[in-house]
Amino acid sequence: MKTLQNPTNNPSRQFRHPFQLVCKRLIDIIVSSVCLIILSPLYIGAALSILAEDGRPVFFKQKRSGKDDTAFDIYKLRSMKVTPSAPPPNEPAKQYNWSDRVPDDFVFKQASLHNPNITKTGRFIRKYSLDELPQFYNVLKGDMSMIGPRPEIVEIARCYDNRQQERLRVKPGITGWAQVNGRSSMNHGQKISYDLYYVHHFSLWLDIKIFSMTIYQVLLGKDAS
């Protein structure tokens, strides 16, 4: 794990607002608890649909980089087939081995909703971001927050330079400033810029704004990959 460094003289605004951080954590606990209870019918319905269509497991687990580059297990409802078909021959293997930094023009490509390895249930839950529901448990545990930069894949975070590492100074979120300004359509350089804006301009008001914009996008199924 790399030691985070701050190459600028502008520390994260979160560190200058301890009271707001306490409020943010309390909100995370309350909202995630309520969502886990209220949305339980969706969990059950999605789980039964996954089981009926493609069997177990219901959940997908993956290591992600959290605050201060501490790895944790993120949970999602499984949307891909247990036994995938062979990938297209022209599809390159995923290798994250940049020597100095993640290139700004890098775009993380999730499987298209038309990918034959995505189940019918998977297409639906991805379109409306229902596959992210188990992350309320990550929020309740304290690995994540409701609002923050999306948790990075560990292998990609290992390639960050000092500036890119700044996004790891805060807890990752279920949704963030980058997601409501483009979601899957932006490259890595744009994502970092939006994430660093959030790190340096943190406020509860900004969190409320991001949450409201997220609800709007989810209801429309907007910009889903």
Side-chain angles (χ1 to χ4, degrees):
M1 184 177 69
K2 295 180 180 178
T3 301
L4 295 185
Q5 300 179 25
N6 189 353
T8 71
N9 292 321
N10 183 19
S12 165
R13 189 171 179 178
Q14 290 209 20
F15 300 129
R16 303 199 300 267
H17 293 267
F19 176 73
Q20 290 197 51
L21 280 179
V22 172
C23 292
K24 180 180 174 72
R25 179 57 187 153
L26 288 175
I27 292 171
D28 282 345
I29 293 172
I30 294 170
V31 173
S32 61
S33 299
V34 170
C35 286
L36 285 169
I37 295 171
I38 292 180
L39 299 177
S40 58
L42 282 177
Y43 281 100
I44 296 170
L48 292 175
S49 183
I50 292 169
L51 287 170
E53 182 178 357
D54 199 45
R56 297 183 179 182
V58 170
F59 298 103
F60 168 78
K61 182 174 72 171
Q62 186 182 50
K63 288 288 184 184
R64 294 292 180 97
S65 290
K67 185 177 183 296
D68 299 327
D69 202 15
T70 301
F72 70 98
D73 290 321
I74 193 173
Y75 297 94
K76 293 186 178 186
L77 289 170
R78 182 172 61 84
S79 59
M80 303 290 284
K81 294 179 180 178
V82 173
T83 306
S85 57
N90 60 345
E91 183 174 306
K94 290 184 179 180
Q95 293 185 347
Y96 311 116
N97 53 4
W98 303 287
S99 58
D100 51 355
R101 65 193 300 272
V102 181
D104 286 343
D105 60 357
F106 168 69
V107 177
F108 180 79
K109 291 291 186 180
Q110 290 191 357
S112 165
L113 291 180
H114 302 290
N115 187 307
N117 289 321
I118 296 182
T119 63
K120 291 180 181 179
T121 301
R123 291 189 183 96
F124 179 81
I125 63 176
R126 279 197 179 191
K127 181 177 181 180
Y128 294 100
S129 300
L130 299 179
D131 59 323
E132 312 285 355
L133 289 178
Q135 289 164 40
F136 287 119
Y137 175 64
N138 286 116
V139 174
L140 186 61
K141 284 178 59 184
D143 296 325
M144 294 175 60
S145 176
M146 292 295 299
I147 310 296
R150 284 296 294 164
E152 188 64 275
I153 292 173
V154 172
E155 289 78 12
I156 295 179
R158 287 173 181 164
C159 300
Y160 279 179
D161 64 9
N162 288 344
R163 177 175 178 270
Q164 293 167 343
Q165 286 178 25
E166 285 190 72
R167 76 186 293 276
L168 303 176
R169 291 182 172 275
V170 301
K171 282 185 181 181
I174 291 179
T175 185
W177 189 232
Q179 282 61 50
V180 297
N181 282 283
R183 293 185 71 179
S184 60
S185 62
M186 64 176 59
N187 63 34
H188 192 266
Q190 293 169 321
K191 182 184 78 171
I192 289 293
S193 294
Y194 279 116
D195 287 343
L196 294 188
Y197 177 89
Y198 176 79
V199 171
H200 296 146
H201 296 84
F202 163 74
S203 69
L204 292 179
W205 169 246
L206 181 58
D207 276 13
I208 293 171
K209 181 178 180 179
I210 293 170
F211 183 79
S212 301
M213 293 172 69
T214 299
I215 296 299
Y216 174 76
Q217 290 189 348
V218 167
L219 291 177
L220 293 182
K222 183 181 177 184
D223 204 18
S225 57

